[in-house]
Amino acid sequence: MNVQLAYRRFFMNLLFLAFTFILLHGSSTAREEASRHDADDVVNIGAIFTLQTINGKVSKIAIEAAEQDVNSDPRILGGRRLSIKIHDSNFSSFLGFIGALKFLMTDTVAIIGPQTSGMAHVLSHLANELHVPLLSFTALDSTLTPLQYPYFVQTAPSDQFQMTAIADMISNYGWREVIAIFNDDDPGRNGVTVLGDKLAERGCKLSYKAALPPEPTATPSFITSQLVKIKSMESRIIVLHTFAKTGLLVFDLAQKQEMMSKGYVWIATAWLSTVLDSSSASNTSNSILGALTLRPHTPQSLKKQAFISRWKHLSNGSIGLNPYGLYAYDSVWTIARALNLFFDQKGKVSFSNKNLSSTGEENLNLGALSVFEGGKQLLDNILGINMTGLTGPIHFGSDRSPPHPSYEIINVIATGFRSIGYWSNYSGLSVITPEKLQLKPANRSISSQHLKPVIWPGNTIERPRGWVFPHNGRQLRIGVPNRVSYRAIVSQINASNAVQGYCIEIFRAAIKLLPYTVQYKFVLFGDGENNPSYYDLVNMITLDVFDVAVGDIAIVTDRTKIVDFTQPYIESGLVVVAPVNKLKSHAWAFLRPFTPMMWGVTAFFFLFVGTVVWILEHRTNDDFRGPPKEQIVTVLWFSFSTMFFAHRENTVSPLGRVVLIIWLFVVLIINSSYTASLTSILTVQQLSSPITGIDSLISSNERIGFQVGSFAANYLTEQLNIPKHRLVPLGSPEEYAIALERGTVAAVVDERPYVELFLSDHCEFSIRGQEFTKSGWGFVSIFRIGIS
């Protein structure tokens, strides 16, 4: 709404100045009115450009060449002659408006231009009133819609397609945040607005918009201040949407700020390609090496090649040809073809006066301004044109956009520039020319979207990451537990803010592996007299007191519900530590592998198996026959001799042999187990304790020690249902040892890394049983949506 109001005020101000000009020059206007002639052999067309610009110079040469070609073809216009007058607006919207008024006072049937979108918004109101078509190939603002400006026709792809191409490139390379630098005028603001919309559709965003004064008023000091601000930001993807003079100045100043180095990405809109095509590359490429830009793509043809061959003669070598020169040439021919059809339809170039009067007592009679009565018919002919020009097929769709708009993507290198691919609204990004892809079904799959390798700023082919940590951002606040025990893990250095320890070294080693610099500072948490609560430390992350917590922080379930952990950098778990007694060796040590019960069961089965075999064998086997006393001895001998596989009695019955085979296998297992256990007893130091693990500790009523600040207390009470009165807090390894030696606690429950450090100095204690939890240590942070 504000933009529309600004347009309206701007238009009314200019209109007032124009009216003043006409009133002050009434006599001159009357003379011009009287000098009009009704000859039908001349058709007047106007053109409005700033002739000091690259596009202005190229367009003037191309328009004059097209005028000459049209007038030399007797088949066009039925023998009439096209007269094109070019007005130099000289970077001034006011002068451009005055030039348009002059054209409209001299029976002009169409105007080519204006060059800028801001001027197009103003002149389109006049065109609507006077029914004079405006054709522009450089005023490409997407807000110049046919609904509001029916007599304005864009003969080149609008900025909407160019911004869509840039958004597709950014999305294809995986970047997410973009900075836009633009002139604070109509095409700049509206172009960046479209870019922001297209990026949002692809999950990206404009993180900053740097507005520069309209050309040519941008000063080096102002641009430098904006570049310094951008340099301190996170994103390194910069889209430069300006005009040539301002754009080149931005690149020169960016190079001085070392912003054309490795890590940066510069994407310039089509203005840069016009500079590269129309100027000497050696004069412009030094400060823009590695930049990407877009060039409107026009398919190759014999007609286009012939015009390119003529260009050196037409321009006298003063300037190179760019695609907008081709669009200028085709715009003239579009008007000529439409006029030819207009005359074939018996149309006449006639005008009627347009009187404008105020509602007050004063009347403004602008007799010089007249309505082109055939303007609507000529406009329809232009929109219905279907021909092939230098730029390829020319016709307009329902939205008046050219057929299949496309761009060539250019990479600036040391030797000039090179093409890395194409973009079209039909098939997206590709290394194949759009006209070839149009012969196939459209394919927008991710696998089909690719470009050739790029040489980025800093002369590298490695794709930039696209972001860094901002220099103006605050340092990461890293909370570190201020431990008073196990200081080898993490500790304060000499009452300063410096910290050291195993966890700190792990963190610093991980930071060094990152391909970018991270600014951070350590902040101690705790009073330095007791170990801090690790639950409180983790909560400091959720309260935004710290950004990260580094230390011996166990990854447990209730903590993962409120914060995020890194992958564990060390395995951990709760274990039980208790005093142990050494078992001394004695003569009966060979009985220790089995318990008395096991010995009794083993003896019983020896006798049982012997008896079973005797029952199965004694009727048919002479070895198991004889007097009762002898048979008892045989059973005993046979039973115990199988222990050493030394039995001499043969078994002849099938059942007897099956029983014997099974029994011999069992004996093998018993022998192996006994041998292994006895070997261990005789070679390894044996320790004994009434505490065999967490289960025996739970079933007892003994007191249990735990480390102050550890999650062990909560785990024992909440998960294992151990009463709190059985738990004794201990603050250091020395307190562990004293409490265990004096019997204050029966055992200590702590994490394995601490226990291993403790046992390295206290061999009289030992881990009893297995770990009864599985976890690890990690660093802590929290993912906050919307914070970069």
Side-chain angles (χ1 to χ4, degrees):
M1 180 63 70
N2 292 335
V3 173
Q4 294 297 329
L5 291 175
Y7 287 159
R8 191 173 300 170
R9 287 195 295 268
F10 179 66
F11 171 72
M12 296 305 297
N13 289 337
L14 289 182
L15 197 60
F16 174 78
L17 291 173
F19 291 162
T20 304
F21 174 83
I22 293 172
L23 290 174
L24 291 175
H25 296 79
S27 60
S28 174
T29 302
R31 286 194 299 270
E32 291 180 12
E33 178 72 17
S35 65
R36 290 185 181 177
H37 54 83
D38 296 326
D40 293 333
D41 60 342
V42 176
V43 181
N44 295 320
I45 296 177
I48 303 174
F49 292 95
T50 296
L51 299 181
Q52 290 82 4
T53 63
I54 291 176
N55 282 340
K57 295 175 183 178
V58 171
S59 299
K60 181 177 183 296
I61 297 171
I63 289 172
E64 291 174 346
E67 178 186 13
Q68 181 182 357
D69 292 346
V70 169
N71 290 333
S72 63
D73 190 341
R75 298 170 298 175
I76 304 297
L77 302 181
R80 297 173 181 82
R81 187 172 63 86
L82 207 62
S83 176
I84 302 179
K85 296 180 180 179
I86 300 177
H87 174 77
D88 184 6
S89 60
N90 194 25
F91 297 102
S92 171
S93 297
F94 176 72
L95 293 180
F97 185 79
I98 296 302
L101 287 177
K102 287 183 177 180
F103 289 143
L104 296 173
M105 291 187 296
T106 55
D107 295 349
T108 298
V109 300
I111 296 176
I112 300 175
Q115 188 170 342
T116 64
S117 297
M119 196 69 242
H121 279 283
V122 176
L123 294 186
S124 292
H125 290 285
L126 278 178
N128 291 347
E129 293 292 330
L130 303 179
H131 297 179
V132 177
L134 294 177
L135 281 74
S136 180
F137 48 86
T138 54
L140 303 176
D141 188 348
S142 59
T143 62
L144 290 164
T145 61
L147 292 177
Q148 185 176 9
Y149 307 110
Y151 280 85
F152 181 80
V153 180
Q154 293 174 334
T155 58
S158 75
D159 285 343
Q160 176 180 356
F161 299 107
Q162 182 174 206
M163 295 307 173
T164 303
I166 293 175
D168 277 347
M169 292 167 57
I170 291 170
S171 176
N172 180 67
Y173 284 117
W175 301 316
R176 287 294 174 263
E177 294 192 7
V178 181
I179 293 174
I181 303 177
F182 61 98
N183 286 119
D184 193 13
D185 53 17
D186 291 330
R189 287 189 299 269
N190 295 332
V192 168
T193 299
V194 173
L195 176 61
D197 294 340
K198 297 301 179 182
L199 288 172
E201 292 174 3
R202 291 154 178 80
C204 310
K205 70 174 183 178
L206 278 176
S207 59
Y208 182 70
K209 300 177 184 179
L212 305 179
E215 189 167 306
T217 59
T219 62
S221 60
F222 184 87
I223 295 174
T224 299
S225 66
Q226 288 286 2
L227 291 175
V228 170
K229 186 182 299 184
I230 291 171
K231 188 177 181 180
S232 67
M233 296 179 180
E234 179 179 347
S235 177
R236 286 294 182 263
I237 313 301
I238 304 172
V239 175
L240 184 56
H241 182 46
T242 63
F243 295 100
K245 183 178 180 181
T246 301
L248 293 176
L249 180 58
V250 169
F251 275 120
D252 289 338
L253 296 175
Q255 186 180 35
K256 293 179 181 179
Q257 293 293 325
E258 298 182 347
M259 296 175 67
M260 296 303 299
S261 57
K262 183 177 179 180
Y264 283 90
V265 175
W266 287 82
I267 303 176
T269 48
W271 67 265
L272 181 56
S273 66
T274 65
V275 173
L276 298 174
D277 287 329
S278 300
S279 304
S280 172
S282 61
N283 294 332
T284 59
S285 63
N286 291 335
S287 62
I288 56 177
L289 294 179
L292 299 179
T293 184
L294 281 75
R295 171 201 283 160
H297 174 67
T298 56
Q300 295 295 329
S301 65
L302 294 176
K303 186 183 295 186
K304 174 183 173 181
Q305 194 59 42
F307 186 78
I308 293 174
S309 301
R310 289 176 56 193
W311 183 259
K312 187 173 183 180
H313 172 71
L314 294 172
S315 64
N316 294 320
S318 61
I319 193 169
L321 175 65
N322 64 52
Y324 294 104
L326 304 179
Y327 283 111
Y329 185 92
D330 282 350
S331 296
V332 175
W333 271 97
T334 298
I335 295 175
R337 294 285 186 186
L339 283 170
N340 189 63
L341 180 59
F342 174 80
F343 291 126
D344 290 345
Q345 295 168 341
K346 308 303 180 181
K348 291 184 179 181
V349 178
S350 60
F351 296 83
S352 60
N353 288 341
K354 180 75 173 179
N355 293 323
L356 301 176
S357 61
S358 65
T359 58
E361 297 179 357
E362 295 183 0
N363 292 327
L364 295 176
N365 184 16
L366 301 178
L369 295 177
S370 54
V371 178
F372 177 30
E373 294 180 346
K376 181 63 169 63
Q377 185 178 357
L378 179 60
L379 175 65
D380 292 339
N381 290 345
I382 291 172
L383 297 178
I385 204 75
N386 191 356
M387 69 180 210
T388 301
L390 300 183
T391 59
I394 300 175
H395 61 269
F396 300 96
S398 58
D399 60 350
R400 298 191 183 182
S401 62
H404 300 306
S406 57
Y407 292 88
E408 184 178 8
I409 303 171
I410 293 173
N411 180 207
V412 182
I413 57 177
T415 55
F417 57 89
R418 66 188 185 97
S419 173
I420 62 169
Y422 303 89
W423 177 91
S424 73
N425 70 329
Y426 179 77
S427 56
L429 300 172
S430 176
V431 295
I432 303 174
T433 57
E435 54 268 22
K436 291 182 180 179
L437 291 176
Q438 290 165 15
L439 301 176
K440 306 175 183 179
N443 184 3
R444 285 275 190 163
S445 63
I446 297 177
S447 60
S448 67
Q449 305 293 300
H450 60 279
L451 300 171
K452 295 178 182 177
V454 177
I455 300 177
W456 303 101
N459 196 31
T460 177
I461 60 174
E462 180 183 357
R463 180 181 65 84
R465 185 178 61 254
W467 63 274
V468 296
F469 281 100
H471 296 309
N472 63 344
R474 59 175 174 79
Q475 294 177 318
L476 285 177
R477 300 161 300 176
I478 300 179
V480 177
N482 190 8
R483 295 191 59 91
V484 296
S485 63
Y486 297 110
R487 297 177 60 84
I489 294 177
V490 59
S491 63
Q492 182 182 18
I493 301 177
N494 299 328
S496 66
N497 289 328
V499 291
Q500 64 182 359
Y502 173 76
C503 298
I504 303 302
E505 295 304 317
I506 292 290
F507 174 77
R508 286 173 173 158
I511 288 292
K512 290 180 181 179
L513 296 177
L514 297 177
Y516 47 85
T517 302
V518 179
Q519 303 294 327
Y520 62 88
K521 62 179 179 180
F522 292 116
V523 181
L524 290 166
F525 178 75
D527 57 12
E529 298 179 0
N530 299 290
N531 289 336
S533 168
Y534 281 66
Y535 281 97
D536 292 342
L537 175 59
V538 170
N539 283 330
M540 293 296 103
I541 302 292
T542 64
L543 297 175
D544 199 27
V545 176
F546 299 133
D547 299 305
V548 180
V550 170
D552 47 336
I553 305 172
I555 305 173
V556 294
T557 303
D558 53 350
R559 293 176 184 174
T560 59
K561 294 178 181 178
I562 59 174
V563 294
D564 298 311
F565 281 88
T566 63
Q567 290 294 320
Y569 60 87
I570 189 173
E571 291 185 356
S572 180
L574 292 178
V575 294
V576 176
V577 181
V580 291
N581 298 317
K582 296 181 180 179
L583 294 178
K584 297 180 180 180
S585 180
H586 51 79
W588 297 96
F590 68 90
L591 295 176
R592 287 172 54 192
F594 291 161
T595 63
M597 176 65 72
M598 182 62 182
W599 281 116
V601 171
T602 303
F604 170 77
F605 272 100
F606 272 103
L607 295 176
F608 178 76
V609 170
T611 303
V612 171
V613 172
W614 176 82
I615 294 172
L616 296 174
E617 294 289 329
H618 80 281
R619 294 182 181 178
T620 57
N621 191 342
D622 293 337
D623 291 339
F624 292 89
R625 298 176 71 115
K629 183 178 180 180
E630 184 177 341
Q631 291 185 38
I632 293 174
V633 172
T634 300
V635 169
L636 293 175
W637 169 255
F638 177 82
S639 299
F640 289 101
S641 64
T642 56
M643 181 185 301
F644 308 102
F645 305 98
H647 56 286
R648 292 176 296 177
E649 293 78 11
N650 294 324
T651 54
V652 295
S653 67
L655 288 177
R657 290 178 177 179
V658 170
V659 171
L660 183 61
I661 290 173
I662 295 174
W663 174 244
L664 291 177
F665 180 74
V666 173
V667 168
L668 176 63
I669 296 174
I670 294 174
N671 281 340
S672 300
S673 299
Y674 177 83
T675 303
S677 298
L678 183 61
T679 302
S680 175
I681 291 172
L682 296 178
T683 57
V684 178
Q685 185 182 51
Q686 297 298 301
L687 303 175
S688 68
S689 171
I691 305 298
T692 58
I694 187 63
D695 293 333
S696 63
L697 198 58
I698 294 174
S699 61
S700 70
N701 291 320
E702 301 288 345
R703 292 164 67 84
I704 304 170
F706 68 92
Q707 183 183 174
V708 173
S710 171
F711 76 96
N714 285 345
Y715 185 85
L716 293 174
T717 56
E718 296 177 6
Q719 300 296 324
L720 302 183
N721 298 319
I722 296 177
K724 290 186 177 181
H725 69 268
R726 290 182 56 191
L727 304 182
V728 178
L730 303 172
S732 66
E734 292 73 18
E735 292 185 18
Y736 285 15
I738 294 172
L740 290 170
E741 289 173 352
R742 294 179 179 179
T744 306
V745 296
V748 172
V749 174
D750 206 350
E751 296 178 72
R752 180 176 286 275
Y754 302 123
V755 170
E756 290 179 349
L757 286 175
F758 172 71
L759 295 180
S760 64
D761 296 326
H762 300 84
C763 300
E764 66 273 23
F765 308 108
S766 175
I767 295 175
R768 307 303 296 169
Q770 302 296 320
E771 289 184 5
F772 56 93
T773 66
K774 289 290 185 182
S775 62
W777 290 352
F779 303 142
V780 185
S781 185
I782 189 169
F783 175 72
R784 296 183 175 92
I785 298 176
I787 298 179
S788 59

